[in-house]
Amino acid sequence: MFLSLRAEVEDALEGALAALDLPTDDLGIEEPPEDVPAVVASSVAFRLAGELGTAPPQAAAEVADEIDAASLEYVSAVETQGPYLNFLPSAAYYAETLARGVDPAYGHLPARGESVVVEHTSANPTGPVHVGRARNPIIGDAVANLLDAAGYDVSRHYYVNDAGRQMAVFTWAYETFAEDDLEGEPERDRAEYDLVRYYRKGNAYLENADPADVAEAEAEIEAIMRGLEERDEAAYERVSAVVDQVLGGMKECLARLPAEFDRFVKETQFMLDGATDDVVARLKELDGAVYEEEAWQLDLEDQGIDKNLVFLRADGTSLYPTRDLAHHEWKFDNYDRAVTVLGEDHKLQARQLNATLELLGNDTGQLRQVLYSYVNLPEGKMSTRRGTGVDLDDLLDEAIDRARAEVENRLDDRIRDDDLDEEDIERIAHQVGIGAVRYDIVSKQPTKAITFEWDRALDFEAQSAPYVQYVHARCCGILAEGGFDLDDSLEAQGVALEADAAERLETDAERELLETIARLPAVIDEAADDLEPHQVATYTREFAERFNAFYRECPVLADDVDEDVREARLALVASSRHTIANALSVLGVSPPRSM
């Protein structure tokens, strides 16, 4: 409803300014202070004061006089406070918010008829997913969820690097060494933990073996890479035998978050279909193309980039950026928009990619990148090279263990017996533990570095995932106690919302909660435009505070509550449940029914 009210306010302001023969390009729409009973405000009077030759408060009054609030559906009055115009909500605003909020799909925007491909994670298939990179699938999945909620037709892609030297080394090592040659046992009974030992063995061999043996190995590695370039079917099959096994294990890890994909797009696709060769030929024709230092390069100095893009080696083999150019042109051909989630260390490559795509004649307005900083533990930045690496599986296991202990402790502290059994506790531990990891990571601006701390992430009392999740559980508890089936909508259960139900919600706590519910579609709309799911996380914390204030001040099922008020408050709780559940689902955080 907030979107409808804001549109109505914008139309009213434009009409008033036009009547005063004033420009309508900047309406000064903003959020009013907390102590002002308005939904939106306008600071347009600051801009108009000079043109009207009067002080801002007088300018605001003149604009307000031109607005007929009685003709507006969702605005009850327009009041001025100094230089500000404040737009107060009408009874229809509250009524329609409540009516829409009881829909389980509340918050989702209508279909836009526009397709978006979101590429994220895309970790090299050389071993287990490292926790330092966990921000990519968590942010990427949230961005995809956000765009889906905003009405876009979203396709989630994982771009598989199966064509570079790393995979050639991995393939050679897998074919060369036997199980007995490997060090240690796999850390987990899953393919990527088993096969990564071959990759490590191969790299150690290339660093330490006799030079003649290394030369022989390098010749085989080079043959694999050349076979891929020459579209040799046997070479593709050899590499795929390794890649597909490792990728299968990585999928299982990512599914725990969960982060699932519609398509795994392999680099080699763009070698097989000739797209990479086509890109190379076109790059060579560009003015900035030069052959130097035994490679074809593209000078991007005129584009403000002081590092050349190397796109073809002297031996005729392509590089990752070359194949990625073909990949992105394929995206442009198949989708209206493209979003890529990248680590901060890829900032230069992203600039080179955008500039080169433009030089090749593409409209890069279709493409946006979300850059993120890495996740640290309190001990310091994690890096497998320094021996302090932590796998994502380890982080998730510990999250579940810690959440389970916290849930059990809270049960022990309760005065009354609880009907949660071991299966319930395990479910809650998974929802809260993994939710805590996701929420703590996605709630921060992507470009800010994160130091993940357990005490903060799993604090049921602070503004963390459990704090917000508890609101959903509390809503479910109230509705279940009120006799509602949580698996069906109120409408499906034959519960008709009275036309005047919202009018019975008269307290400040009830009205403020309704106003917060009304904002969800607008929050999703703005966050999707900005590709910033952390805006939704901020909203969930604000919502939790508003709901908890309502819960403290407005009993729902108490015997002394009037029956009509009881029904209206139950509808408000149902709306609250759908609001927080759908906001959390954007973040990829499960909304528990009990905690």
Side-chain angles (χ1 to χ4, degrees):
M1 284 312 303
F2 179 83
L3 286 172
S4 298
L5 181 145
R6 188 171 64 187
E8 193 172 61
V9 167
E10 289 171 353
D11 288 344
L13 281 171
E14 287 178 355
L17 296 182
L20 293 170
D21 198 25
L22 294 169
T24 61
D25 54 326
D26 180 8
L27 302 176
I29 300 290
E30 60 184 61
E31 185 176 343
E34 288 189 8
D35 59 346
V36 174
V39 176
V40 296
S42 170
S43 59
V44 69
F46 285 107
R47 175 174 68 82
L48 301 178
E51 298 185 47
L52 290 172
T54 186
Q58 284 69 44
E62 288 191 43
V63 175
D65 287 342
E66 292 292 335
I67 299 175
D68 178 14
S71 67
L72 304 179
E73 183 177 4
Y74 302 121
V75 175
S76 63
V78 183
E79 297 179 351
T80 60
Q81 185 176 32
Y84 294 95
L85 291 97
N86 297 316
F87 295 82
L88 280 61
S90 68
Y93 181 77
Y94 291 114
E96 198 158 336
T97 295
L98 187 62
R100 293 190 183 187
V102 296
D103 180 354
Y106 177 67
H108 288 245
L109 304 181
R112 301 178 187 239
E114 187 173 349
S115 62
V116 183
V117 55
V118 178
E119 176 201 333
H120 67 85
T121 307
S122 302
N124 290 341
T126 53
V129 180
H130 181 248
V131 75
R133 298 276 178 174
R135 206 170 187 183
N136 198 313
I138 289 174
I139 292 176
D141 188 61
V143 167
N145 294 340
L146 178 60
L147 291 169
D148 181 68
Y152 293 96
D153 180 12
V154 178
S155 187
R156 297 159 168 84
H157 286 195
Y158 187 120
Y159 187 46
V160 183
N161 181 354
D162 64 336
R165 174 179 165 82
Q166 284 181 309
M167 293 316 304
V169 169
F170 203 162
T171 301
W172 161 78
Y174 179 69
E175 296 173 344
T176 300
F177 299 106
E179 174 76 21
D180 293 343
D181 297 324
L182 307 179
E183 295 183 7
E185 295 295 320
E187 296 172 17
R188 292 175 186 264
D189 184 19
R190 222 168 53 212
E192 76 273 36
Y193 287 92
D194 180 20
L195 269 63
V196 72
R197 297 178 301 150
Y198 290 92
Y199 182 63
R200 291 168 180 162
K201 176 67 177 179
N203 281 304
Y205 182 90
L206 294 173
E207 289 181 7
N208 302 311
D210 181 88
D213 293 333
V214 171
E216 183 179 346
E218 288 288 0
E220 181 60 24
I221 292 166
E222 179 68 23
I224 294 171
M225 294 176 64
R226 184 167 292 283
L228 295 177
E229 293 287 347
E230 295 173 354
R231 308 179 199 175
D232 177 60
E233 187 173 337
Y236 283 97
E237 291 177 355
R238 292 169 66 186
V239 171
S240 294
V242 178
V243 169
D244 291 348
Q245 289 185 75
V246 176
L247 198 59
M250 296 172 76
K251 289 179 187 178
E252 290 186 43
C253 172
L254 294 168
R256 299 181 67 191
L257 282 170
E260 298 181 348
F261 298 86
D262 299 305
R263 186 164 180 171
F264 288 80
V265 181
K266 292 184 175 180
E267 265 190 281
T268 48
Q269 168 184 329
F270 306 104
M271 302 166 77
L272 275 171
D273 65 11
T276 302
D277 289 343
D278 176 69
V279 165
V280 167
R282 289 157 57 207
L283 287 171
K284 286 182 177 180
E285 295 298 318
L286 295 177
D287 289 341
V290 294
Y291 184 84
E292 58 186 29
E293 298 180 5
E294 299 185 355
W296 276 95
Q297 306 183 36
L298 185 65
D299 187 336
L300 297 172
E301 188 174 354
D302 288 346
Q303 285 68 41
I305 302 172
D306 58 8
K307 186 176 179 61
N308 288 0
L309 175 79
V310 181
F311 63 88
L312 193 68
R313 299 184 184 93
D315 61 6
T317 55
S318 61
L319 289 89
Y320 178 91
T322 326
R323 300 184 288 271
D324 203 26
L325 288 166
H327 174 212
H328 276 78
E329 291 193 327
W330 172 82
K331 290 182 185 181
F332 295 160
D333 287 341
N334 289 278
Y335 300 92
D336 297 317
R337 292 177 55 192
V339 176
T340 310
V341 181
L342 298 167
E344 61 185 356
D345 56 335
H346 289 82
K347 187 179 295 185
L348 172 62
Q349 292 93 317
R351 292 181 62 210
Q352 290 178 319
L353 175 76
N354 288 1
T356 306
L357 284 169
E358 287 189 1
L359 291 172
L360 289 171
N362 297 282
D363 175 13
T364 55
Q366 296 175 261
L367 175 63
R368 292 177 67 183
Q369 284 117 352
V370 178
L371 295 168
Y372 65 91
S373 184
Y374 294 117
V375 178
N376 306 317
L377 289 179
E379 294 79 11
K381 193 168 185 178
M382 292 175 289
S383 168
T384 51
R385 294 182 181 274
R386 291 202 298 270
T388 58
V390 177
D391 295 326
L392 177 57
D393 280 311
D394 298 330
L395 181 70
L396 297 181
D397 284 349
E398 185 166 357
I400 294 166
D401 290 343
R402 286 175 178 262
R404 184 187 302 110
E406 180 65 25
V407 170
E408 290 172 344
N409 288 339
R410 293 174 71 84
L411 287 176
D412 291 342
D413 291 340
R414 292 181 181 179
I415 298 175
R416 62 180 176 83
D417 291 334
D418 200 286
D419 57 0
L420 295 180
D421 58 23
E422 288 301 316
E423 185 177 337
D424 291 324
I425 292 173
E426 196 61 27
R427 169 184 53 79
I428 295 168
H430 278 74
Q431 290 177 316
V432 172
I434 294 177
V437 171
R438 288 195 63 135
Y439 191 92
D440 195 67
I441 288 175
V442 81
S443 64
K444 312 297 192 307
Q445 289 188 14
T447 52
K448 291 186 177 180
I450 290 179
T451 298
F452 186 84
E453 296 177 358
W454 290 111
D455 291 343
R456 179 191 64 214
L458 283 167
D459 190 340
F460 278 64
E461 310 303 328
Q463 291 188 335
S464 58
Y467 173 77
V468 177
Q469 287 173 306
Y470 201 81
V471 169
H472 184 267
R474 179 163 275 164
C475 289
C476 291
I478 294 170
L479 292 169
E481 189 176 347
F484 292 102
D485 184 347
L486 298 179
D487 292 320
D488 276 329
S489 66
L490 298 186
E491 182 180 13
Q493 296 175 67
V495 179
L497 191 64
E498 297 291 339
D500 62 346
E503 294 178 17
R504 304 171 203 155
L505 303 173
E506 298 176 339
T507 69
D508 289 345
E510 290 166 319
R511 290 300 175 97
E512 288 173 0
L513 180 55
L514 267 176
E515 289 170 12
T516 309
I517 289 171
R519 286 179 47 226
L520 176 61
V523 170
I524 288 175
D525 186 51
E526 184 174 347
D529 284 346
D530 298 335
L531 298 179
E532 292 183 345
H534 69 269
Q535 293 183 27
V536 180
T538 300
Y539 171 82
T540 64
R541 292 193 293 269
E542 295 172 356
F543 182 88
E545 290 178 355
R546 291 290 171 88
F547 182 85
N548 288 335
F550 158 77
Y551 181 78
R552 288 191 302 269
E553 299 173 22
C554 304
V556 179
L557 301 174
D559 292 339
D560 60 347
V561 176
D562 178 83
E563 182 65 21
D564 288 341
V565 173
R566 176 182 181 274
E567 295 302 321
R569 287 180 178 173
L570 278 169
L572 181 57
V573 172
S575 297
S576 296
R577 178 199 172 195
H578 298 321
T579 297
I580 197 63
N582 292 334
L584 285 174
S585 70
V586 166
L587 306 176
V589 176
S590 294
R593 290 188 174 186
S594 56
M595 286 178 67

